[in-house]
Amino acid sequence: MKIVRAKHNDSTFYGVIDGQTVNRLAHEPYSGIEYMGISYALDEVTLLAPAEPSKIVAVGKNYKAHADEMGEGHPAEPLLFIKPNTCIVGNGDDVVYPEISKRLDYEGELGVVIGKTAKNVQKGESGNYIFGYTCLNDVTARDIQKSDPQWTRGKSFDTFCPIGPHIETELDAMNADISTRVNGEIKQDSNTRCMTHDIDTLICYITQCMTLLPGDIVATGTPEGIGSMQRGDTVEVEIKGIGVLKNRII
């Protein structure tokens, strides 16, 4: 099932895509899918970022090959950082290149969307708390990240977390091909099975210290092949089974 947030005239709502139709939901989807009985043609609505998280919990260096290319060692436990929800933009939205940065990088990732309040999740039970999955670009001002003793500033500029194009509720999330293209050229090409810490491990680890709320997103890390983007570039993150997240850098 493909879940979207959409806007029609002045009304914003969640919906389910069925072919070229968006079936409007009566409320947010995490408490259950309840149709409102109203449908729109897909080309009649504007699709927005498909989730409204209170926070994005991201995982650094969670693919061995990416940790190798960074040359900063391999974390024995998940390396966590937070991106604020003001980073969120949707498919087709622009990513703003900050004037104070000299290097802006793409990081294509699988985003896990939480479906119900999760605290102290036990091993093997994370699936009960996952609503679905989306494509995510953990945009990073690399020069700022490396100049600061921690990563918050370099990861947290407005527009630094594109997600979309929708939430897919059915996915073999630990065996999904993931790639990133810049102006059509493949830069990252991997599979989620190459994660060091799997999704279940990540959710259990995160919820030992913080509560995840419905709509929150876990960004599961990026594979090898990171690189820079320039103003005017078009960046696409594709995950097989979900779709393509496309954004322009301005």
Side-chain angles (χ1 to χ4, degrees):
M1 184 178 292
K2 293 176 172 56
I3 307 294
V4 296
R5 281 180 63 242
K7 185 173 183 179
H8 183 265
N9 295 330
D10 293 328
S11 179
T12 299
F13 57 92
Y14 286 91
V16 176
I17 291 181
D18 182 10
Q20 295 301 305
T21 300
V22 177
N23 298 315
R24 184 167 178 164
L25 297 180
H27 49 72
E28 51 81 26
Y30 309 115
S31 57
I33 301 299
E34 181 181 349
Y35 292 102
M36 198 171 180
I38 300 173
S39 298
Y40 307 96
L42 189 56
D43 61 7
E44 289 180 334
V45 303
T46 300
L47 295 184
L48 308 172
E52 300 174 281
S54 73
K55 57 189 170 295
I56 304 101
V57 185
V59 184
K61 293 184 278 190
N62 196 35
Y63 286 72
K64 181 180 183 299
H66 171 56
D68 287 342
E69 74 179 350
M70 295 296 286
E72 299 171 351
H74 300 265
E77 296 184 340
L79 177 61
L80 305 182
F81 60 95
I82 299 286
K83 293 173 79 83
N85 58 12
T86 47
C87 290
I88 292 287
V89 292
N91 181 52
D93 291 336
D94 292 333
V95 172
V96 179
Y97 198 129
E99 292 292 336
I100 64 172
S101 177
K102 302 302 180 186
R103 176 171 168 172
L104 193 66
D105 281 12
Y106 54 82
E107 292 190 11
E109 305 193 10
L110 174 69
V112 180
V113 183
I114 299 301
K116 66 179 182 179
T117 301
K119 178 65 176 175
N120 290 323
V121 175
Q122 299 301 301
K123 190 69 175 174
E125 296 183 358
S126 63
N128 297 325
Y129 299 88
I130 295 171
F131 179 75
Y133 307 90
T134 194
C135 303
L136 182 149
N137 189 351
D138 175 22
V139 177
T140 303
R142 190 71 67 196
D143 53 339
I144 294 174
Q145 179 197 18
K146 288 183 175 295
S147 71
D148 289 358
Q150 46 77 33
W151 296 358
T152 299
R153 193 165 64 109
K155 295 279 192 176
S156 296
F157 286 83
D158 293 352
T159 74
F160 269 26
C161 193
I163 59 171
H166 50 258
I167 301 169
E168 175 56 64
T169 60
E170 299 177 16
L171 181 74
D172 183 0
M174 287 310 303
N175 186 25
D177 292 334
I178 178 170
S179 62
T180 304
R181 296 183 293 272
V182 178
N183 301 326
E185 181 180 352
I186 295 175
K187 299 293 187 177
Q188 294 182 292
D189 190 12
S190 187
N191 187 284
T192 56
R193 64 175 174 267
C194 297
M195 290 182 193
T196 300
H197 305 288
D198 64 19
I199 292 168
D200 184 63
T201 298
L202 296 178
I203 291 176
C204 293
Y205 186 84
I206 291 165
T207 60
Q208 287 176 359
C209 68
M210 72 183 79
T211 300
L212 294 174
L213 301 176
D216 282 354
I217 295 174
V218 176
T220 56
T222 196
E224 73 278 11
I226 62 165
S228 61
M229 305 177 290
Q230 307 301 324
R231 293 179 179 86
D233 284 349
T234 296
V235 180
E236 298 169 291
V237 177
E238 180 171 9
I239 299 176
K240 189 173 181 181
I242 300 178
V244 179
L245 168 66
K246 184 176 181 179
N247 301 92
R248 183 170 175 264
I249 313 304
I250 65 170

